[in-house]
Amino acid sequence: MPLVTTKDMLEDAYKNNYAIGAFGAHNLEVIKAVIAGAEKVGAPVILQTTSSTYKYVEMPYLIALAKTAAEQAKVPVALHLDHGESYHIVMECLRAGYTSVMIDGSSLPYEENILLVKKVVEAASAVNVPVEAELGTIGGVEDSVSVKEENAFFTDPKQAEHFVKVTGIHSFAPAFGTAHGKYREKPKLLFELLQEIHCSTNIPLVMHGASGVPEEDVRKSLKYGIAKVNFSTELKDLFAEELRAYFKDYPTENDPRKYFLPARESLIKLVEQKIVMLQK
Ligand SMILES: [Zn+2]
């Protein structure tokens, strides 16, 4: 089927206390592995990219890959922009054919964040594309977004309530203790805060920086409205590890049709395992 939006899949997950896996889609091998992993579970899946990924792959190639993946897949597939850093970038993705977008104005003063998000929701709604936004600051490093842990701050549930109401967003990324990239120590998730945000916002919530969060914590968060969980770092780590291991064993191999295979197989298993973890 064609690419679908994230609206129905997130609402169903939200209502029924499970979550949709959203995976950083960096190239053909990763995209194919994500789809194959989702098909093994029979669950809908989100391919997501930052703007630096579509600049790397180049937009026409990325769209063709995602569309073909969705058409070939036995499960619903959405293409989501992760951490859209400006109105211009979101527009570029909407025009190209993304079926879901995030606008990240979390570094702006509150009122400016609201204005930006409202403008994005208005434009995206005209083409039926749902919008994710963030309030508070999720720490760590993700592409162009880098936030020192001491500068990360948690989402205020009351402010979140207001933010969701006035912007009309469809899903919300709260800062409640997760971080992008690698965790230096075991992350401490604030479940009471998450619960309050869940009650005050009443829309699907998104967990960013899930790579390295213990399984029991991810599963616990599903009870409190987390309906989309983002994975990127773990996929990158595994893919690179497999390539390193391959070239250690076969240092002279030059055929990408051979050296990508074990990495792709391992990635399929990881994606399957992550999606199973997000099931009810
Ligand atoms: Zn993120």
Side-chain angles (χ1 to χ4, degrees):
M1 67 180 103
L3 284 167
V4 297
T5 77
T6 47
K7 193 161 189 290
D8 290 346
M9 58 172 90
L10 290 192
E11 272 168 15
D12 190 71
Y14 181 68
K15 260 185 237 144
N16 295 295
N17 296 110
Y18 69 99
I20 309 291
F23 299 92
H26 298 107
N27 61 16
L28 170 67
E29 280 68 30
V30 175
I31 289 175
K32 286 186 78 172
V34 170
I35 302 294
E39 282 179 331
K40 286 199 166 187
V41 193
V45 72
I46 299 169
L47 296 170
Q48 66 182 20
T49 81
T50 56
S51 60
S52 37
T53 303
Y54 74 68
K55 280 170 195 153
Y56 164 73
V57 183
E58 293 184 8
M59 193 65 108
Y61 288 88
L62 181 77
I63 295 294
L65 284 173
K67 280 190 174 165
T68 306
E71 274 155 21
Q72 299 294 315
K74 298 182 190 78
V75 293
V77 179
L79 177 62
H80 175 80
L81 169 69
D82 191 26
H83 292 281
E85 48 277 72
S86 69
Y87 182 77
H88 171 77
I89 280 171
V90 172
M91 289 308 110
E92 207 178 334
C93 290
L94 289 177
R95 279 192 210 105
Y98 277 64
T99 55
S100 180
V101 291
M102 175 187 186
I103 175 72
D104 183 357
S106 61
S107 61
L108 296 172
Y110 184 59
E111 292 304 324
E112 279 176 52
N113 189 1
I114 285 185
L115 287 179
L116 173 65
V117 176
K118 267 172 112 168
K119 209 168 126 191
V120 165
V121 170
E122 209 177 280
S125 298
V127 285
N128 271 322
V129 169
V131 177
E132 175 186 330
E134 174 180 332
L135 195 60
T137 311
I138 297 164
V141 183
E142 183 164 27
D143 287 351
S144 56
V145 188
S146 170
V147 179
K148 283 210 179 99
E149 246 106 290
E150 60 265 30
N151 294 332
F153 62 92
F154 299 121
T155 303
D156 170 24
K158 280 267 164 287
Q159 199 178 44
E161 182 179 9
H162 179 254
F163 184 75
V164 167
K165 207 188 273 170
V166 297
T167 57
I169 52 170
H170 306 85
S171 60
F172 178 64
F176 67 104
T178 60
H180 294 120
K182 285 190 207 294
Y183 289 95
R184 268 174 303 192
E185 48 196 71
K186 193 178 165 222
K188 242 188 156 163
L189 305 196
L190 308 179
F191 286 106
E192 260 173 50
L193 176 65
L194 181 62
Q195 196 173 6
E196 282 178 48
I197 295 166
H198 174 38
C199 292
S200 70
T201 55
N202 225 2
I203 61 169
L205 301 179
V206 181
M207 181 189 285
H208 282 244
S211 293
V213 175
E215 175 163 348
E216 71 222 53
D217 284 359
V218 174
R219 292 200 44 84
K220 195 172 166 189
S221 73
L222 305 181
K223 285 188 231 154
Y224 305 126
I226 294 290
K228 171 176 179 268
V229 179
N230 294 355
F231 300 97
S232 181
T233 304
E234 260 176 285
L235 273 71
K236 286 194 225 169
D237 282 350
L238 180 65
F239 202 82
E241 267 164 36
E242 288 289 1
L243 288 180
R244 277 191 288 268
Y246 190 93
F247 284 116
K248 205 173 159 228
D249 292 343
Y250 306 97
T252 57
E253 181 57 65
N254 74 345
D255 190 342
R257 293 165 300 183
K258 290 187 182 153
Y259 59 69
F260 276 141
L261 279 182
R264 199 167 81 190
E265 285 310 308
S266 293
L267 218 53
I268 294 173
K269 284 195 197 109
L270 181 69
V271 169
E272 181 187 4
Q273 185 196 322
K274 293 299 178 195
I275 297 178
V276 166
M277 173 176 80
L278 304 180
Q279 302 288 301
K280 210 176 167 185

